[in-house]
């Protein structure tokens, strides 16, 4: 007899980090999702200069629910949003987690606060899947060194991306994203009706402070 796979929901504690204080004076909220093997506590540091110069901005960095040792059985720890194992269940779990987090935090901001969502590397597909089921509509989607999930149903992708400004960001020396892959991502988005803006910076598979500043300046224009 073959073993039957079963699932049941449990309650667990998720972790996130925040820069800035949420209040009725908050006009801009960024949700930023880290890449594979990163931790939110280090990831969010790349955004500190943004909130330091804009008291109406709050940055929120949720952390993937699964943590692991990056090498062997000790040393540095990273987190992941999902793996190929029990993939659909893990997607459902992080979508539910991020929805609860957004509902909890956005209730503390000004009702008209603009929400930007940034996903880095693995976080790009993560936030895209999340936003397809999110309780709010973002003002801007930033896919940084990562791709919109090609397996998302076309009607779902079209509804999500309709009139949504999308920016693709990638370093010129990114070891995982080639110029061809970036062009393919642009073309994919065109097929669902989006002409994505593209920002390049001199660098590798990482965030880039001046480019983040450029993105916030563009949002204020």
């Amino acid at each position: 007899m073959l073993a039957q796979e079963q699932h049941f929901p449990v309650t667990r504690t998720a972790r996130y980090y925040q820069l800035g204080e949420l209040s009725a004076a908050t006009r801009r909220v960024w949700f930023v999702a880290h890449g594979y093997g990163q931790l939110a506590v280090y990831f969010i540091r790349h955004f500190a200069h943004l909130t330091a110069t804009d008291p109406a901005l709050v940055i929120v960095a949720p952390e993937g629910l699964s943590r692991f040792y990056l090498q062997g059985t000790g040393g540095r720890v990273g987190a992941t949003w999902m793996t190929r194992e029990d993939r659909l269940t893990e997607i459902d779990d992080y979508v539910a987690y991020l929805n609860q987090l957004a509902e909890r935090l956005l209730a503390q901001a000004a009702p008209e606060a603009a929400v930007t969502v940034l996903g880095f590397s693995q976080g790009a597909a993560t936030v895209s899947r999340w936003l397809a089921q999110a309780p709010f509509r973002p003002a801007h989607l930033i896919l940084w060194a990562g791709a919109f999930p090609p397996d998302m149903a076309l009607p779902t992708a079209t509804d999500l991306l309709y009139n949504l400004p999308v920016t693709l960001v990638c370093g010129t020396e990114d070891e995982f994203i080639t110029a061809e892959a970036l062009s393919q991502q642009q073309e994919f988005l065109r097929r669902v009706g989006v002409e994505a803006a593209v920002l390049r910076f001199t660098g590798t598979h990482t965030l880039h402070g001046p480019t983040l500043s450029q993105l916030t300046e563009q949002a204020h224009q």
Side-chain angles (χ1 to χ4, degrees):
M1 178 182 294
L2 295 176
Q4 295 182 343
E5 181 176 339
Q6 306 286 349
H7 296 87
F8 73 102
V10 299
T11 300
R12 62 162 299 170
T13 301
R15 181 166 73 173
Y16 70 94
Y17 288 83
Q18 179 177 314
L19 288 168
E21 295 297 327
L22 283 162
S23 72
T26 302
R27 294 292 182 270
R28 287 166 291 282
V29 179
W30 281 38
F31 287 97
V32 297
H34 63 78
Y36 177 80
Q38 296 181 310
L39 292 177
V41 64
Y42 302 117
F43 184 70
I44 201 170
R45 293 178 182 177
H46 292 276
F47 301 85
H49 67 290
L50 303 183
T51 53
T53 57
D54 185 355
L57 171 66
V58 170
I59 308 283
V60 178
E63 188 168 273
L65 293 173
S66 299
R67 301 187 190 96
F68 60 98
Y69 292 113
L70 296 177
Q71 293 184 333
T73 57
R76 291 179 56 203
V77 173
T80 182
W81 294 101
M82 54 166 281
T83 66
R84 66 184 181 188
E85 183 67 25
D86 206 10
R87 173 177 173 274
L88 296 180
T89 301
E90 290 208 323
I91 291 173
D92 288 344
D93 283 348
Y94 74 59
V95 167
Y97 152 40
L98 295 173
N99 278 342
Q100 289 182 52
L101 180 64
E103 289 176 343
R104 172 190 177 98
L105 298 184
L106 293 179
Q108 303 172 49
E112 67 276 14
V115 180
T116 292
V117 177
L118 180 151
F120 172 75
S121 195
Q122 186 193 45
T126 298
V127 298
S128 300
R129 293 190 180 99
W130 167 40
L131 290 177
Q133 303 179 55
F136 65 92
R137 183 155 182 85
H140 189 192
L141 172 61
I142 303 169
L143 304 178
W144 192 304
F148 191 87
D151 58 347
M152 186 181 292
L154 186 59
T156 301
T158 303
D159 288 346
L160 167 61
L161 296 171
Y162 179 72
N163 280 343
L164 174 60
V166 177
T167 302
L168 304 177
V169 186
C170 188
T172 55
E173 306 300 324
D174 193 302
E175 56 269 42
F176 300 106
I177 310 294
T178 64
E180 180 183 6
L182 189 60
S183 296
Q184 290 173 349
Q185 180 69 186
Q186 285 181 275
E187 183 55 36
F188 169 80
L189 291 170
R190 287 191 186 105
R191 291 200 298 271
V192 292
V194 175
E195 188 60 47
V198 177
L199 283 179
R200 304 299 303 271
F201 63 91
T202 302
T204 58
H205 194 71
T206 185
L207 293 173
H208 183 249
T211 302
L212 286 170
S213 296
Q214 182 180 347
L215 288 165
T216 58
E217 290 166 5
Q218 290 174 351
H220 292 169
Q221 295 174 357

